[in-house]
């Protein structure tokens, strides 16, 4: 998955998990859980959507690699 595809996937997943969030104001280095007030179930749904959309298995030990928008894009495009 290239960076542009990963970016689109993360944005699409975030819109589903946090439909009221203003993603245009989300800083790339902001903690997703804090910035979008995601609880643990929201975050797990985000991981599920990213895994399904990318076809990449995301294990629990990789969750910290999805902490920010830019981290998630980087992880999915690596």
């Amino acid at each position: 998955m290239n960076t542009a595809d990963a970016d689109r996937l993360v944005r699409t997943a975030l819109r589903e998990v946090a439909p009221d969030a203003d993603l245009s104001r989300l800083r790339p280095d902001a903690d997703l859980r804090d910035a979008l007030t995601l609880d643990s179930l929201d975050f797990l749904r985000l991981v599920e959507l990213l895994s399904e959309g990318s076809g990449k298995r995301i294990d629990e030990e990789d969750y910290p690699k999805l902490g920010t928008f830019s981290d998630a894009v980087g992880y999915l495009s690596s």
Side-chain angles (χ1 to χ4, degrees), residues 21-69:
D22 182 2
L23 298 182
S24 67
R25 299 188 60 166
L26 180 65
R27 290 188 347 261
D29 63 340
D31 182 276
L32 292 175
R33 291 183 193 199
D34 291 339
L36 303 175
T37 60
L38 302 179
D39 62 23
S40 58
L41 292 177
D42 293 332
F43 186 76
L44 288 176
R45 178 69 180 138
L46 175 63
V47 170
E48 181 181 292
L49 290 168
L50 295 177
S51 180
E52 289 172 0
S54 67
K56 185 174 190 171
R57 179 184 168 108
I58 302 174
D59 295 317
E60 190 172 349
E61 61 263 11
D62 292 330
Y63 290 3
K65 297 175 184 175
L66 305 172
T68 69
F69 184 86

